Amino acid sequence: MNGLRASLLLFGLGLALPGQAGSLGTLSDNTGNALFWSMVTLLGQPVMTTMALGAEEPSARLLYSEKTATLGAIEYSSSGAVQFNQKILFAASDDARLFVASDGRQRGAFLEAALRHCRDLGLHPGASDMQLASALLAYPGPP
Amino acid sequence: MRWRPLRLLALLLCLLVTPLSAALRLELDARDLTEREREASQALLAQALQALPPSLVERLDRRVQVRWSQTLRHDAFGSARGRHYIELNRLLLPALADGSAAQRQTGRSHATLERELLATLLHEIVHLYDRARLWSPADQRRLAQCRSQAARLGAVGLADDCRGQTQRRFTLSDDPRLLDLAGWPQRVGRRGEREPRNAQGARSPDVYELSHPREFVAVNMEYFLLDPEYGCRRPGLQRYLSAHFGWRPAHASDCPADYAYLNAGLDPQRDILGQLDPERVYAVHYLLAEPNQAWVSRWGHSMLRLVVCAPNTPRGPDCLLDLDQHLVLSYRAFVGDLQLSTWDGLTGAYPSRLFILPLSQVIDEYTKLELRSLASVPLQLPREQLEGLVERAVEQHWSYDGDYYFFSNNCAVETLKLLRSGSARADLQTLDSITPTGLLQLLEARGLADRSPLRDPREALRLGYRFDSYRERYQLMFDILRQRLPIEAESVEQWLALEPAQRRPWIERADLRAAAALLLLEQAALRRQLLLAQDDLKRRYLASRGRQDSDLAQAGGAIEQMLRDSGFLSRPAELLEHGYGLPQAAEWQRLRQQSQARQLQLRSLAGELDGELRQLLEPQRLARIEAGERNLGELGRHLRRLHQASGGLQLP
């Protein structure tokens, strides 16, 4: 497992992003190092995209095509306007799966943030957490 | 107390008798100077006196003779001799006398020769001041208390704020606080002994400052006194010096509210040049990646998390869920090679640098790829200390280029040094730990870290005080899957080891809960295949290194090139040739161009590699990866069908 974990990091990094190498080649607490730069680049793009975005055909997507949609400001409560931020919804995809699969018992912070965002925007007032989580589950990845 | 009026009286008498004596007097040695030389020199002396802090002029109560010397090395500007003499290099006098020094560019950081001469004079005066032990009365009392405490109790029983104060010999340059800011931090486990080498070498105005703390003080005073932007470029030192002198130069510029940093994150939508407004930081957490069994991570990894509020969120607890805004300060070893060497890690061959990363990326790296959990423990810092810490972190991000030592300068040690120099808390001076978990325990013991939000595990997960490892999630998903579908696999391992085609038929039969579980597990399976492929390529490449002919060696060489090229993300100072300290608004434009250009270059290299590496994979491995990708696609469609069929809500 050690090897696996070590390479995971690498791979993860790599995968995650060829262009930004941010952590490519960095060794967080010093975990391994990277071949995955390679893998990354290669395999990484389409695959990671798929994973991150929730499963659509890999061919359709490019890693860099993610877009932050700003659908105009929606007025909310007292403290000004909250901008719709699609990224907050995308970031909740894994947490939403966990929440739905566990019938609401497992509730991660990214889901919590997305639920709050939906409510701040006044989307589907009165909807339950489960209804919103399952809408997040079916939320399409970026075009 | 009784003698205080007496002293005042004495002071008053002194003032009456010799009104000009309680101050620094600069006297020119005018022998064999022409009239013009004398006038120009006098003007220089007057400028210097005017630039100095009034309290320095007052405390350094002596006559100092300034003379033009022919015995200095030809490339030296000046030198302080004894307590009463400063020498300037006579070779520079003609240019000062004929006025050309005001225009002549030196190529050094003060630009013109005239400014360089003024800076030199100030530099040497500061040396005299530093050597003269001119502590304020309050400081003198404290130093005396510390000395007597050390004599009674020894080094072990010394109060926190006496560490480093018992053998002071200089006004400024051996002050523990100054040394922390300057880049000579305490060594681990040596009761206050300082690191011999200054690693804050990036974006230095004059590398001479790194040679010794006394030079550091003198060089920094030049900029403190002469550069209006000093306070924006080195805000921590500016505050320290201003507090010491009870004064700041009238010409000091107003600084922008935001700090610039280089975003080493992976999200291409995020501006690579980040801007951080310390006002928006609600809290700082100690972020601990829990240990696992790999040699490099057996102790865990310590980082700091900045809880940054979204623009619309008022600063307060609500900011905890603005997860997309949060940043992580992480000291990492930068490894520009494919091999991680234990030996190099122990002996300091890897540079250690402070990365500023988006929180979500750090969570993904640890929980998904390394399968480790993260604990985020709030630090109880008063506002002033919190903002000091943020400022210090950005300063380190731009200037620090240290060496990673597995035992003596690892992430825990670096994080402690950052906490210490950023918050200026006395109770951190005597903390010592070389492990991330040990450091957390010490911080808790001092009441600085508050673990209480982590006590309720469900709430901790919901509010982001803990991020659970995907290992736990996969197990849970598998249990749910077995409850809902009659699968044969008996363990997660078995399920993930199946061929993708064997898992595929279950997709159609899954209800919403099972499909959600299947999706998480399918991702795990695919990730595992990618890792295996990567491992395999890495092994083959390392084995073939040196044999120039193989395809693998070519691709590997390109990868190593990319690793080296990506180094700029870890050392942002490389992007700018000019300026020092924090980059100012005028430099941002260039920073942005530079960083984007390098990023594009990396991306195109990555694009070329892409196809090449896919071809290098074993056909069987590639087939499995592609089949896994198809499963994921099918699962996504299946989930959406189920959701629509049940009349689920739609989000914009």
Side-chain angles (χ1 to χ4, degrees):
Chain A
M1 281 314 272
N2 289 357
L4 173 63
R5 264 176 242 130
S7 48
L8 269 172
L9 173 59
L10 302 176
F11 153 75
L13 298 174
L15 253 197
L17 140 159
Q20 302 204 16
S23 3
L24 273 190
T26 62
L27 150 82
S28 59
D29 22 339
N30 324 301
T31 334
N33 178 337
L35 171 57
F36 68 96
W37 208 177
S38 36
M39 296 294 304
V40 168
T41 13
L42 22 162
L43 306 175
Q45 275 166 334
V47 176
M48 191 59 163
T49 327
T50 317
M51 298 197 291
L53 306 182
E56 270 179 316
E57 293 84 343
S59 56
R61 237 160 292 109
L62 283 175
L63 186 59
Y64 300 108
S65 63
E66 193 176 327
K67 86 170 192 227
T68 319
T70 304
L71 301 184
I74 301 180
E75 285 301 321
Y76 109 107
S77 73
S78 54
S79 57
V82 171
Q83 296 273 341
F84 176 62
N85 185 349
Q86 211 170 18
K87 280 186 183 173
I88 296 177
L89 306 192
F90 291 152
S93 58
D94 276 1
D95 277 2
R97 289 163 196 157
L98 188 71
F99 185 79
V100 171
S102 69
D103 199 20
R105 281 190 294 275
Q106 297 290 314
R107 196 181 169 99
F110 286 94
L111 174 65
E112 193 70 16
L115 294 177
R116 189 184 71 175
H117 191 56
C118 290
R119 303 225 152 91
D120 284 351
L121 292 167
L123 298 172
H124 305 294
S128 69
D129 290 350
M130 185 56 77
Q131 284 174 306
L132 286 172
S134 108
L136 284 168
L137 199 60
Y139 197 55
Chain B
M1 281 289 123
R2 266 180 306 145
W3 45 267
R4 187 170 275 179
L6 268 182
R7 206 164 58 155
L8 274 179
L9 188 63
L11 188 66
L12 204 60
L13 275 176
C14 274
L15 288 173
L16 287 174
V17 179
T18 50
L20 291 175
S21 72
L24 169 67
R25 282 100 54 210
L26 295 178
E27 287 180 3
L28 180 68
D29 180 350
R31 283 173 298 174
D32 59 1
L33 293 191
T34 65
E35 180 67 23
R36 281 183 75 173
E37 286 170 342
R38 201 163 54 236
E39 277 171 19
S41 307
Q42 290 290 8
L44 184 69
L45 267 46
Q47 266 182 300
L49 273 180
Q50 191 134 45
L52 287 165
S55 55
L56 182 150
V57 174
E58 187 190 307
R59 283 185 223 162
L60 190 61
D61 171 22
R62 68 174 69 153
R63 193 172 58 86
V64 172
Q65 202 174 61
V66 180
R67 64 185 168 215
W68 292 96
S69 160
Q70 283 164 320
T71 59
L72 289 173
R73 277 175 43 158
H74 74 283
D75 56 348
F77 277 80
S79 170
R81 306 268 180 201
R83 288 167 42 84
H84 296 282
Y85 296 99
I86 291 174
E87 295 184 334
L88 297 174
N89 193 331
R90 183 133 198 172
L91 294 174
L92 306 172
L93 179 58
L96 183 72
D98 67 18
S100 63
Q103 272 79 45
R104 200 203 290 179
Q105 299 293 314
T106 59
R108 292 168 48 99
S109 38
H110 294 293
T112 68
L113 181 58
E114 188 183 27
R115 297 289 284 179
E116 220 44 79
L117 277 167
L118 177 58
T120 304
L121 189 50
L122 295 169
H123 179 110
E124 303 307 337
I125 293 169
V126 170
H127 275 317
L128 297 180
Y129 174 76
D130 191 31
R131 289 179 207 155
R133 308 187 186 199
L134 294 171
W135 301 297
S136 69
D139 283 346
Q140 282 180 23
R141 274 196 300 281
R142 198 158 65 95
L143 296 185
Q145 279 164 6
C146 289
R147 275 193 303 271
S148 84
Q149 201 186 59
R152 275 183 289 120
L153 304 172
V156 180
L158 209 55
D160 292 343
D161 61 353
C162 281
R163 180 176 274 201
Q165 301 283 17
T166 55
Q167 293 179 326
R168 293 278 306 276
R169 291 165 52 226
F170 295 90
T171 312
L172 287 168
S173 63
D174 56 1
D175 179 4
R177 175 72 185 143
L178 183 275
L179 293 172
D180 279 348
L181 291 172
W184 283 277
Q186 292 186 43
R187 299 182 72 173
V188 159
R190 300 292 188 88
R191 298 210 174 282
E193 186 190 320
R194 297 279 159 172
E195 291 284 352
R197 189 176 87 85
N198 188 323
Q200 287 174 204
R203 288 184 63 79
S204 163
D206 180 349
V207 289
Y208 189 43
E209 68 174 350
L210 307 175
S211 63
H212 196 281
R214 293 200 283 283
E215 297 304 337
F216 186 92
V217 167
V219 168
N220 276 269
M221 282 294 288
E222 296 171 26
Y223 292 87
F224 173 68
L225 297 173
L226 297 179
D227 181 4
E229 283 188 345
Y230 183 77
C232 308
R233 295 181 176 276
R234 291 198 158 167
L237 282 159
Q238 154 96 2
R239 245 193 335 277
Y240 171 85
L241 292 171
S242 297
H244 175 86
F245 292 111
W247 169 89
R248 63 177 228 156
H251 59 52
S253 356
D254 291 331
C255 303
D258 293 355
Y259 302 127
Y261 68 92
L262 194 66
N263 176 12
L266 306 178
D267 179 356
Q269 294 297 314
R270 246 177 135 119
D271 196 343
I272 186 157
L273 187 66
Q275 287 181 27
L276 173 61
D277 178 359
E279 277 283 308
R280 304 299 304 152
V281 180
Y282 163 62
V284 178
H285 289 192
Y286 185 84
L287 188 63
L288 175 71
E290 293 171 353
N292 70 6
Q293 292 304 307
W295 71 268
V296 287
S297 43
R298 194 164 297 162
W299 283 347
H301 184 56
S302 48
M303 297 164 275
L304 294 175
R305 167 184 175 188
L306 302 183
V307 179
V308 183
C309 303
N312 288 298
T313 316
R315 201 171 74 204
D318 281 352
C319 302
L320 275 170
L321 284 178
D322 290 335
L323 297 168
D324 59 322
Q325 306 282 325
H326 298 184
L327 297 172
V328 172
L329 310 173
S330 177
Y331 283 94
R332 297 177 167 202
F334 179 80
V335 184
D337 185 36
L338 295 176
Q339 278 280 44
L340 172 63
S341 153
T342 314
W343 177 251
D344 286 350
L346 293 175
T347 56
Y350 296 131
S352 174
R353 288 158 189 176
L354 179 57
F355 289 78
I356 299 182
L357 302 157
L359 174 70
S360 54
Q361 181 191 324
V362 172
I363 292 173
D364 279 358
E365 283 177 20
Y366 285 99
T367 62
K368 282 189 202 173
L369 298 174
E370 295 200 44
L371 304 177
R372 296 161 70 179
S373 300
L374 289 161
S376 185
V377 185
L379 296 178
Q380 312 280 352
L381 293 169
R383 193 72 210 161
E384 189 191 353
Q385 293 178 11
L386 182 149
E387 292 192 9
L389 180 58
V390 173
E391 171 190 284
R392 180 68 184 160
V394 181
E395 289 183 340
Q396 289 279 287
H397 172 66
W398 286 103
S399 73
Y400 184 70
D401 190 9
D403 293 317
Y404 176 89
Y405 289 87
F406 189 63
F407 287 110
S408 56
N409 199 34
N410 57 29
C411 59
V413 175
E414 296 277 28
T415 303
L416 174 59
K417 289 192 293 197
L418 176 59
L419 279 172
R420 204 185 259 153
S421 59
S423 72
R425 289 170 70 108
D427 60 355
L428 291 180
Q429 283 296 327
T430 50
L431 274 195
D432 238 358
S433 174
I434 62 165
T435 73
T437 43
L439 178 55
L440 178 56
Q441 283 160 7
L442 287 174
L443 293 173
E444 270 187 281
R446 308 256 161 156
L448 191 57
D450 173 17
R451 223 192 246 271
S452 61
L454 285 89
R455 288 214 185 97
D456 177 345
R458 281 175 61 94
E459 279 299 279
L461 273 187
R462 183 174 79 84
L463 296 173
Y465 291 104
R466 186 159 185 281
F467 300 94
D468 56 339
S469 148
Y470 271 55
R471 186 192 301 284
E472 297 163 33
R473 292 188 170 194
Y474 296 146
Q475 184 60 48
L476 191 72
M477 293 300 100
F478 181 73
D479 293 345
I480 289 166
L481 195 60
R482 285 190 75 185
Q483 285 165 16
R484 309 189 76 81
L485 290 172
I487 58 172
E488 283 169 16
E490 287 175 356
S491 67
V492 187
E493 293 302 317
Q494 279 182 15
W495 178 256
L496 298 180
L498 293 175
E499 289 293 327
Q502 295 175 282
R503 291 189 296 262
R504 186 163 182 132
W506 297 103
I507 296 176
E508 280 305 309
R509 301 175 57 179
D511 63 3
L512 195 67
R513 282 184 63 187
L518 271 176
L519 186 61
L520 282 170
L521 289 168
E522 200 59 40
Q523 287 178 341
L526 180 57
R527 211 172 277 138
R528 179 169 297 190
Q529 287 303 319
L530 287 169
L531 283 174
L532 289 172
Q534 174 191 329
D535 233 33
D536 177 46
L537 277 182
K538 177 174 171 177
R539 243 195 318 275
R540 282 163 53 203
Y541 168 64
L542 291 175
S544 75
R545 203 138 65 158
R547 299 206 308 269
Q548 294 303 320
D549 49 325
S550 81
D551 292 349
L552 208 53
Q554 280 184 10
I559 291 163
E560 295 200 352
Q561 177 67 40
M562 287 174 72
L563 276 177
R564 281 191 296 276
D565 289 354
S566 64
F568 81 94
L569 287 167
S570 77
R571 198 167 179 268
E574 280 175 11
L575 296 172
L576 290 167
E577 290 137 37
H578 303 294
Y580 67 94
L582 302 182
Q584 298 303 295
E587 289 154 277
W588 290 9
Q589 180 63 22
R590 174 155 177 79
L591 254 184
R592 190 164 275 129
Q593 282 169 358
Q594 286 278 315
S595 48
Q596 282 169 355
R598 297 231 203 166
Q599 206 180 6
L600 275 178
Q601 208 178 323
L602 274 176
R603 270 188 213 173
S604 75
L605 194 52
E608 287 170 27
L609 264 175
D610 196 83
E612 264 180 66
L613 282 166
R614 254 186 197 257
Q615 286 173 6
L616 290 173
L617 289 180
E618 289 164 16
Q620 213 185 354
R621 179 85 64 212
L622 186 59
R624 259 190 220 131
I625 287 170
E626 287 174 352
E629 289 168 355
R630 278 195 301 276
N631 280 2
L632 278 175
E634 185 51 38
L635 269 165
R637 285 187 294 274
H638 182 62
L639 271 170
R640 269 188 288 286
R641 276 196 301 271
L642 290 174
H643 181 73
Q644 270 162 10
S646 68
L649 305 175
Q650 297 296 320
L651 293 172

